[in-house]
Amino acid sequence: MPELPEVETIARELKKSVLGKKITEVCVHVPVVIRQPSVEQFKKGLTGATIKNILRKAKVLILELSNGKALTIHLKMTGQLVYPGNGKTSRVSFRLSDGKYLDFFDQRLFADLRLLDDWRQLPFIRGLGPEPFDITTEWFFQMLSKKKAKIKPLLMDQTFISGVGNLYAAEALFRAKIDPQRSASSLSDKESALLLKETQATLREAIVHKGSSVDNYVQLTGLPGGYVKYHKVYDREGKPCIMCKTPVKRIVLGGRGTYFCPKCQR
DNA sequence: AATGGGACCTGCGCGC
DNA sequence: TGCGCGCAGGTCCCAT
C-alpha cells in the first residue's frame, strides 16, 4: 500500500521522466476512478497541457499543469503509475508528447484522480496534519499529550500526522519499542522523541530503498521497491522477533491488522 | 467530541 | 479439484 515513501519514490521518478512533457491524449478506460470533475471535463482540461511541476503532499501526488490546473492522484491501496506503459491495459492512460504513455492502474478501484483549479483547496489536503519531517520533538510531545487515542491509530490519522500508514506505523513503533495499544498521552517525553526519530528514520530508509512492495506497489518503472526485506514486524505474525525471538503478535487495532513484539514493545 | 465499524472494491489464500 | 468465504487497508461516512 503506497504510503509516504512509495509516493515520494514515484514523485521523484516522475520528475525525471515526465516533467516538461505535454499531455497529448487522455484515455479513460475505467471512468469510476475519475472523481472530479466529469470525465469529459477531465479529459478536456488535461489534453494539451504541459506538466510544469510535480510534488507530493503526504500520500497525494500532484502534477501542476501549464493551464493553472493540477492533476491530483491518490493511489490508496492498489494504485500504480507506470512509465513508459503500453497505453492499453490500464484504467487511465496519458499519452505524452514523447509518444509514450503514463499509465495508471488500480486493481481495486479505490484510487482517486482529480483535475482541480486549486489543489490546495481540496478538503482532504486542507485537513492534512504535518508530515513527520516537519515537526520538532517538543511539538510532537505536545500533540501526543493532548490525545487519549491509541498511539498506532493516531499515527495513521492523516489529520494528525500525514504520510504514515499501517505498515510504517507498525515499523516505527517497533523501532521505538512502544506498544501500539498505548494511549498517546501516556508516552513520556523521551518515548515521544524516540518515536518521532524512528518514524522519520523508517520513512527515510524506505525512500532510499524505493518503498515497500506489498500488495501492488511498484515504482514508476514497474519494478518492485526494495524495503520489504528490512521490515522488522509488518506481516511477520508468528515469526521470531529479530531482537528477542518472541513470536511477533498480530492484533486488530482501529480495525487494522497490527504487528508487534509483545516483549520488546512496552 | 472522539471512537468504532461498515462501505467501497477485487484478488488471493485458505479450509472443506 | 473447486467453491465460497474472509481478509487485505486508505479514506469517507455514519452511528454511538
Side-chain angles (χ1 to χ4, degrees):
Chain A
M1 64 245 45
E3 302 179 28
L4 188 153
E6 289 75 30
V7 181
E8 177 65 21
T9 299
I10 294 169
R12 290 181 183 185
E13 293 170 331
L14 282 172
K15 279 182 200 170
K16 284 189 260 175
S17 51
V18 308
L19 195 60
K21 290 177 183 171
K22 187 201 265 189
I23 298 169
T24 58
E25 189 185 356
V26 180
C27 305
V28 179
H29 301 114
V30 179
V32 69
V33 297
I34 312 299
R35 313 285 166 166
Q36 189 185 349
S38 69
V39 172
E40 283 315 304
Q41 290 296 312
F42 182 85
K43 290 167 74 167
K44 196 176 162 191
L46 283 163
T47 306
T50 298
I51 301 165
K52 282 287 184 196
N53 194 22
I54 292 159
L55 53 159
R56 175 192 63 73
K57 289 285 165 194
K59 304 175 193 173
V60 185
L61 272 172
I62 301 153
L63 280 68
E64 291 181 337
L65 306 170
S66 54
N67 59 13
K69 296 176 187 284
L71 170 64
T72 63
I73 302 174
H74 195 312
L75 298 170
K76 299 285 178 81
M77 284 170 300
T78 56
Q80 302 172 325
L81 276 176
V82 174
Y83 174 90
N86 59 31
K88 286 175 189 158
T89 55
S90 58
R91 306 300 198 184
V92 180
S93 288
F94 304 91
R95 187 178 161 89
L96 304 180
S97 46
D98 58 7
K100 295 174 182 170
Y101 289 95
L102 173 62
D103 279 350
F104 167 77
F105 297 88
D106 186 22
Q107 178 184 100
R108 292 168 71 180
L109 304 179
F110 281 5
D112 183 319
L113 274 62
R114 294 169 199 265
L115 182 66
L116 301 171
D117 289 328
D118 183 359
W119 62 263
R120 290 168 204 278
Q121 295 303 315
L122 184 67
F124 178 74
I125 287 180
R126 293 196 65 151
L128 288 172
E131 294 190 3
F133 301 120
D134 298 335
I135 50 177
T136 62
T137 52
E138 293 77 14
W139 186 2
F140 190 53
F141 180 61
Q142 285 301 315
M143 289 169 71
L144 293 184
S145 66
K146 296 183 201 119
K147 294 286 186 177
K148 276 187 271 186
K150 292 182 174 73
I151 185 62
K152 193 224 174 205
L154 189 62
L155 281 181
M156 295 169 59
D157 179 348
Q158 301 299 297
T159 66
F160 182 75
I161 289 284
S162 65
V164 178
N166 199 37
L167 193 163
Y168 294 110
E171 292 296 311
L173 284 162
F174 175 81
R175 292 168 58 141
K177 301 187 190 300
I178 294 167
D179 186 326
Q181 303 165 96
R182 287 204 22 214
S183 162
S185 59
S186 78
L187 269 63
S188 69
D189 57 348
K190 280 188 178 158
E191 287 174 322
S192 78
L194 181 61
L195 179 56
L196 180 62
K197 180 175 158 250
E198 295 297 344
T199 301
Q200 293 169 341
T202 305
L203 296 174
R204 281 205 189 95
E205 289 166 26
I207 291 170
V208 167
H209 293 279
K210 303 190 188 300
S212 301
S213 284
V214 296
D215 284 346
N216 294 38
Y217 163 74
V218 290
Q219 303 178 50
L220 192 60
T221 54
L223 293 172
Y227 196 64
V228 172
K229 61 175 176 253
Y230 300 99
H231 292 179
K232 301 180 195 318
V233 283
Y234 185 79
D235 205 19
R236 297 193 66 247
E237 184 184 14
K239 293 180 181 164
C241 169
I242 60 158
M243 300 300 289
C244 76
K245 307 281 191 273
T246 300
V248 170
K249 202 170 165 187
R250 181 186 184 277
I251 59 172
V252 174
L253 222 50
R256 297 292 167 242
T258 298
Y259 301 89
F260 70 108
C261 172
K263 189 173 173 196
C264 292
Q265 294 177 250
R266 301 286 180 167

